[in-house]
Amino acid sequence: AGYGTVESDEVSDVIAALHRRGEVQGPLYLFGVSYGAATAVFTAEKLGTDVAGVVAMESFANAGDAIRTMVPHMLALRPHGWQARAMSLYARWRYGALDMDEVIAAANDRLGLDLDHVDVVQALAATRACVLVLHGDGDEHIPVSQGRRLGRASARTHYLEVRGEDHITLPMRLDLLGTVVDTWLADEAQAPAALCPAPQLRTGLAALGR
């Protein structure tokens, strides 16, 4: 696990293999959800002009920050069903008293990373692709504040916030987001290289100004 850093190397290798086989033709776009969104951004940063655009849904902004907020949220959940409740009780007993900074330090040693420096904001600022960032305002796994930080990363980044959606429900909102993302991709493909078009808003969506 590399919180997108290691995985983006693997995705880059796959893309290179597809290029060699002639299976990637025309503009290349990357799409990812949550951990996958961070991976897509890191991949775009590494591939430079080979990537035309990225759609990053509910990504974390910084891995260390994400762990510090997500673990307490997960431990506070009260799921339905006796099996899920039993697992939740065990998790709170096993992990509830742990210090998150110590946990992250141990993970750093195990993974060979500094999770507080696995920063998607910096990668977004460096990428040459156009990026559309999507986040639900009810997300408690990865708080919406992290999505807003991503939205301010660069002039090539556009941010859409979806009202009333959380980390689980947002990817299911194809009815709301499908046309918006499809139109943005089409607009981006026709735009001059130096211009990243803003997405078209619909009811339930809000854009964040820089």
Side-chain angles (χ1 to χ4, degrees), residues 29-81:
Y29 296 88
L30 305 178
F31 174 86
V33 176
S34 192
Y35 196 117
T39 299
V41 171
F42 283 120
T43 303
E45 179 194 16
K46 291 171 181 176
L47 293 183
T49 56
D50 287 345
V51 176
V54 179
V55 179
M57 183 179 289
E58 55 193 20
S59 173
F60 58 84
N62 175 280
D65 292 344
I67 294 168
R68 290 183 180 90
T69 56
M70 183 167 57
V71 172
H73 167 67
M74 297 295 291
L75 293 178
L77 293 176
R78 296 295 186 269
H80 299 291

Side-chain angles (χ1 to χ4, degrees), residues 1-12 15 29-46 51 53-61 63 66 70 118 120 123-124 131-135 139 142 150 167 171:
Y3 284 80
T5 57
V6 173
E7 295 82 356
S8 58
D9 288 335
E10 297 168 347
V11 172
S12 298
I15 291 171
Y29 296 88
L30 305 178
F31 174 86
V33 176
S34 192
Y35 196 117
T39 299
V41 171
F42 283 120
T43 303
E45 179 194 16
K46 291 171 181 176
V51 176
V54 179
V55 179
M57 183 179 289
E58 55 193 20
S59 173
F60 58 84
M70 183 167 57
V118 176
V120 185
L124 264 182
V131 182
L132 178 61
V133 175
L134 305 167
H135 217 102
D139 195 334
I142 305 295
L150 294 174
H167 203 74

Side-chain angles (χ1 to χ4, degrees), residues 79-154:
H80 299 291
W82 70 267
Q83 289 179 314
R85 287 198 298 270
M87 291 180 64
S88 180
L89 286 171
Y90 171 78
R92 288 198 293 274
W93 170 78
R94 177 67 177 82
Y95 302 111
L98 294 179
D99 180 272
M100 281 296 101
D101 289 333
E102 293 179 2
V103 169
I104 290 171
N108 288 341
D109 291 339
R110 184 174 182 180
L111 299 175
L113 293 172
D114 182 345
L115 290 167
D116 284 322
H117 286 84
V118 176
D119 200 304
V120 185
V121 176
Q122 291 181 2
L124 264 182
T127 186
R128 299 175 70 179
C130 294
V131 182
L132 178 61
V133 175
L134 305 167
H135 217 102
D137 68 358
D139 195 334
E140 294 184 88
H141 288 71
I142 305 295
V144 70
S145 58
Q146 295 212 27
R148 292 170 182 170
R149 284 166 59 189
L150 294 174
R152 298 186 181 96
S154 78

